[in-house]
Amino acid sequence: MNKKLKIGVSACVVGQKVRYDKGHKKLYFCTDELSEFAEFKPVCPEVGIGLPIPRPTIRQVSHGDVIKVSRPDGSGDVTEQLTKFGQDFADQQCHDLAGFIVCAKSPSCGMERVKVYHHHGKGSESNGVGLFTQQIMKRNPLLPVEENGRLNDPIIRENFVTRVFTYQKWLDLKSEGITKHKLIAFHSAHKYLVMSHHVESYKSLGKLLARSDMDLDTQANEYIFGLMTALKHHASRKTHTNTLQHLQGYFKKQLDSDKRQELAQEITSFRQGVTPLLVPLALINHYLREHPNEYLATQTYLNPHPKELRLRYGY
């Protein structure tokens, strides 16, 4: 992929000093690593609705079943403004985005576990979603969304970036024009990636594309929903091992007994937690260069994202 990804981001996460205290929440993974492959579209919804920098803090406050965003004393209610800003941004600015990175714990941008205070002032619960991010996710359910803080976890980071690069490929396919042949080719290239995340989806997506009683648009929409849902499941040593063993089967006739045993041993060592995922993957890629296989060469699983991002060290 030559062109850069387009990723939405809370402006403070890329170092813009837009927070209530004139601070930022820079995530160096974004600015120093992912920026080589991504073009960011920064937004601060609080500034977007006209709040100043610096500004009084705002919080989510529950009034029965209704959650409002205002200053701690209840003044300066911006619930409607933030919701409308989120709806407009989601509808007008997200069509070409491959992902979105938001600021954790923010009453406007938090993805989960945002503090919601009781209106009577006694206590809070961390079960809210930022009003802006809520609209982004609601109106763009396929879009990969993640928080800056969670991206410090190597497994979550790799999962998010895998979803982003996969969704970008889908956006590219849509822009070209989806045909039945292209849809099947897309699925074929992502089969083992799906298997490494969720075996049940691997099976159900294959059955979906085998159906002849659906029109192409419906089939494509159901397919991409199923694919992006499957990839939300975090790959594990168990699911990776299963996938590696399937790939191993393609080399049974090409490799001599010593090489077959070496590959089997590296997969076992990975399953046991002795060696990282990169070891059996490197061996499979090496054997693939020695014994070219057109089908395996198309598999996204072997290279789901640029190696420069060093994302598979968490396994």
Side-chain angles (χ1 to χ4, degrees), residues 66-276:
V66 178
I67 293 178
K68 296 184 177 181
V69 177
S70 66
R71 296 172 186 167
D73 63 4
S75 64
D77 188 331
V78 291
T79 308
E80 289 187 16
Q81 295 98 309
L82 279 177
T83 301
K84 181 66 164 55
F85 185 86
Q87 291 171 343
D88 291 344
F89 194 95
D91 293 343
Q92 300 167 16
Q93 304 290 327
C94 290
H95 62 279
D96 61 348
L97 297 184
F100 216 113
I101 300 172
V102 297
C103 184
K105 301 181 181 179
S106 163
S108 57
C109 290
M111 186 185 80
E112 61 182 28
R113 298 191 301 276
V114 174
K115 270 193 176 183
V116 180
Y117 294 82
H118 300 297
H119 73 278
H120 48 63
K122 296 179 181 178
S124 64
E125 297 178 22
S126 297
N127 59 2
V129 178
L131 295 193
F132 172 78
T133 299
Q134 187 176 54
Q135 296 305 318
I136 298 297
M137 295 191 297
K138 179 179 179 181
R139 296 167 109 86
N140 298 276
L142 299 177
L143 185 67
V145 179
E146 194 49 86
E147 291 184 333
N148 57 336
R150 283 168 49 90
L151 287 174
N152 289 314
D153 181 298
I155 302 297
I156 293 176
R157 179 186 297 190
E158 199 269 341
N159 178 272
F160 173 70
V161 176
T162 295
R163 288 187 288 134
V164 168
F165 273 91
T166 301
Y167 193 51
Q168 181 63 59
K169 290 175 185 175
W170 180 258
L171 293 177
D172 293 343
L173 180 63
K174 280 183 65 179
S175 68
E176 295 171 6
I178 297 176
T179 65
K180 180 72 172 180
H181 173 73
K182 288 180 179 179
L183 181 59
I184 291 174
F186 185 92
H187 173 62
S188 179
H190 289 82
K191 273 187 174 182
Y192 286 114
L193 181 65
V194 176
M195 178 183 284
S196 70
H197 284 258
H198 197 238
V199 174
E200 290 79 3
S201 294
Y202 166 82
K203 296 175 182 177
S204 63
L205 288 173
K207 292 178 181 177
L208 171 66
L209 293 188
R211 292 179 59 176
S212 59
D213 61 337
M214 301 176 71
D215 65 84
L216 181 59
D217 286 344
T218 301
Q219 198 169 42
N221 289 335
E222 289 196 17
Y223 174 79
I224 189 57
F225 180 81
L227 175 63
M228 298 309 295
T229 300
L231 295 183
K232 286 183 180 180
H233 293 270
H234 290 179
S236 64
R237 285 188 180 271
K238 181 179 179 180
T239 57
H240 274 303
T241 298
N242 178 49
T243 305
L244 292 167
Q245 288 171 338
H246 275 79
L247 296 177
Q248 178 186 15
Y250 286 90
F251 297 102
K252 282 183 178 179
K253 295 181 180 179
Q254 286 85 356
L255 303 181
D256 60 35
S257 60
D258 288 343
K259 289 182 177 179
R260 288 200 303 269
Q261 186 175 352
E262 179 187 21
L263 180 54
Q265 181 56 52
E266 292 299 355
I267 293 173
T268 299
S269 294
F270 164 71
R271 178 178 58 80
Q272 295 172 341
V274 176
T275 56

